[in-house]
Amino acid sequence: APKKGLKDYYKAYFPVGVAVGRAQLQGPEAELIKQQFNSITPENAMKMGPIHPEEDRYFWTDADAIVNFAQANKLRVRGHNLLWHEQTPKWLFKNADGSRVSKEVLLKRLHDHISAVVKRYQGKVYAWDVVNEAIADNPQEFLRNSEWYQICGDEFIAKAFEYAHEADPKAQLFYNDYNTERPEKRERVYKLLKQLKDAKVPVHGVGLQGHWSLQEPTEPELRAALDQYASLGLKVQITELDVSIYPWEKDRRAKRPGESDAYTPELARQQAAQYKMFFRVFRDYKSVLTGVTFWNVSDKYSWLDTYPVAGRKNYPLLFDQNQQPKQAFWEVVQF
Ligand code: XIL
């Protein structure tokens, strides 16, 4: 096992974080968290569906356990997230009679939710992903046609930031999204952030999820994105880093009969080279980047094993299924 943690190697650069569930607060994954990282994010526990299952009931147990673990082990906590179009609770967009809520009702629910969650963790969560993935996938469109958008128009975004700022004026508030280095998406994320800044909405940073692959992003794409977001005077963080061994989109599918999903030496080599490049760029941008968070601890548990369909093993992280450092780990810490 490595003697030093990622947090130690990167002490002069930025905090290095990890997203986890409650199950990882014990056993070998917990040991690795304590040894390697100085920031933690609940992978699911603070999302609206899990934490606010009914209008008049919150489920704090899992999120509290992660925050308590963080406090006991001196990890900072990034909250994720306050508003998303996925993992929403069933009651959220509906009246008691099953009809759709009005904009007024939905904004009131959003206010009450954000206020309750942010105040509970005030002083313990230093940064929040306030709005997650509000930009459309289709490059011809701007905002995603989510239920939030259908009911509220574009107003819900600014409101979410205002409610969060009101609940905890000291918290750093982020807009978080994926594919933020692809030029067409980058321009639209930039446009949204620029609009929010111009309207004096309390947004302090942009989270680049960093669900990357062996092919994407290229070094020039990554640098162009960091430059463009930094030009807005925002903090930039990599919030959900993993490097899939399968290409995105074209190859999101189950395993075919007889097909291998083994982690070959060639894949390990390519992945190590990709991680090495990413962290070299991150170090170059140390005045812009205020955090890099991995989307889980080891290849034993990754959302990519089951997203979008189960059946093909992925190996996206720096530690293998036995919590041992991979070639990619050694490339990341050698500089
Ligand atoms: C994922 C979790 O990792 C999974 O466990 C869950 O089933 C679905 O959500 N973008 C995000 C994260 O912002 O919240 C998602 O997390 C991954 C994609």
Side-chain angles (χ1 to χ4, degrees):
K3 290 196 187 63
K4 289 206 301 184
L6 292 162
K7 63 177 178 193
D8 306 308
Y9 290 103
Y10 280 88
K11 204 178 170 74
Y13 294 89
F14 37 74
V16 185
V18 64
V20 302
R22 247 191 105 171
Q24 284 142 299
L25 303 180
Q26 305 164 33
E29 299 264 320
E31 290 315 306
L32 207 52
I33 298 169
K34 291 189 231 172
Q35 179 195 74
Q36 293 291 324
F37 301 96
N38 50 8
S39 176
I40 200 165
T41 299
E43 182 178 0
N44 290 297
M46 287 182 177
K47 291 171 182 170
M48 196 166 182
I51 209 168
H52 196 169
E54 290 165 60
E55 184 166 13
D56 54 3
R57 185 170 67 87
Y58 286 85
F59 175 75
W60 302 115
T61 314
D62 290 358
D64 282 359
I66 294 170
V67 171
N68 292 340
F69 178 90
Q71 296 226 297
N73 295 292
K74 300 197 166 55
L75 306 162
R76 61 177 73 201
V77 184
R78 275 197 104 252
H80 175 86
N81 54 54
L82 298 172
L83 188 161
W84 192 24
H85 62 285
E86 284 182 31
Q87 289 181 278
T88 52
K90 283 198 179 67
W91 58 271
L92 179 62
F93 302 113
K94 288 195 171 74
N95 292 306
D97 66 2
S99 62
R100 237 183 198 195
V101 288
S102 65
K103 172 171 151 183
E104 289 66 35
V105 169
L106 186 56
L107 289 177
K108 166 87 167 59
R109 289 179 178 182
L110 179 65
H111 175 270
D112 293 352
H113 172 76
I114 289 181
S115 174
V117 175
V118 171
K119 283 187 180 144
R120 184 177 184 88
Y121 299 114
Q122 183 162 21
K124 298 179 177 171
V125 168
Y126 83 100
W128 280 100
D129 289 330
V130 177
V131 174
N132 199 32
E133 305 181 352
I135 302 288
D137 283 322
N138 179 352
Q140 312 307 320
E141 293 163 19
F142 181 40
L143 296 178
R144 180 187 298 278
N145 188 20
S146 65
E147 281 167 290
W148 291 106
Y149 182 79
Q150 289 167 16
I151 297 169
C152 298
D154 55 12
E155 229 180 291
F156 71 91
I157 300 177
K159 289 279 191 248
F161 282 98
E162 281 158 17
Y163 299 156
H165 188 61
E166 169 196 283
D168 181 357
K170 293 206 173 121
Q172 296 176 22
L173 306 180
F174 282 74
Y175 174 75
N176 193 52
D177 213 329
Y178 60 90
N179 291 346
T180 46
E181 311 73 32
R182 291 185 182 172
E184 44 81 10
K185 183 117 178 220
R186 184 187 79 209
E187 293 300 336
R188 289 178 295 144
V189 172
Y190 175 86
K191 176 177 159 187
L192 172 63
L193 290 164
K194 178 91 170 61
Q195 285 178 356
L196 294 173
K197 289 277 286 184
D198 289 348
K200 304 263 185 296
V201 173
V203 54
H204 310 120
V206 53
L208 317 188
Q209 290 186 1
H211 292 301
W212 293 335
S213 66
L214 302 178
Q215 294 77 22
E216 283 190 277
T218 63
E219 183 169 347
E221 282 169 351
L222 178 55
R223 287 181 184 273
L226 292 169
D227 286 336
Q228 190 168 353
Y229 298 127
S231 76
L232 284 165
L234 293 168
K235 299 177 200 300
V236 183
Q237 296 197 354
I238 311 298
T239 54
E240 308 185 11
L241 182 58
D242 48 24
V243 177
S244 173
I245 64 160
Y246 308 112
W248 275 120
E249 278 142 9
K250 292 173 210 90
D251 218 22
R252 291 184 175 183
R253 57 172 181 79
K255 191 161 75 160
R256 297 188 177 121
E259 185 182 32
S260 168
D261 58 1
Y263 188 61
T264 62
E266 177 55 19
L267 286 171
R269 194 193 60 73
Q270 288 178 28
Q271 188 184 47
Q274 188 72 327
Y275 262 118
K276 181 187 169 106
M277 182 272 279
F278 291 151
F279 275 79
R280 178 165 47 73
V281 174
F282 297 165
R283 291 193 299 276
D284 283 352
Y285 281 81
K286 83 169 200 169
S287 63
V288 168
L289 276 180
T290 62
V292 173
T293 290
F294 287 87
W295 208 242
N296 229 310
V297 185
S298 77
D299 289 345
K300 184 161 185 182
Y301 305 98
S302 164
W303 73 299
L304 296 174
D305 286 346
T306 49
Y307 179 86
V309 280
R312 219 161 43 140
K313 179 73 190 145
N314 211 323
Y315 308 85
L317 297 160
L318 296 186
F319 297 92
D320 70 17
Q321 292 176 81
N322 300 310
Q323 288 88 26
Q324 299 306 306
K326 295 159 55 175
Q327 189 183 341
F329 172 91
W330 297 111
E331 292 290 2
V332 160
V333 301
Q334 244 162 60
F335 57 90

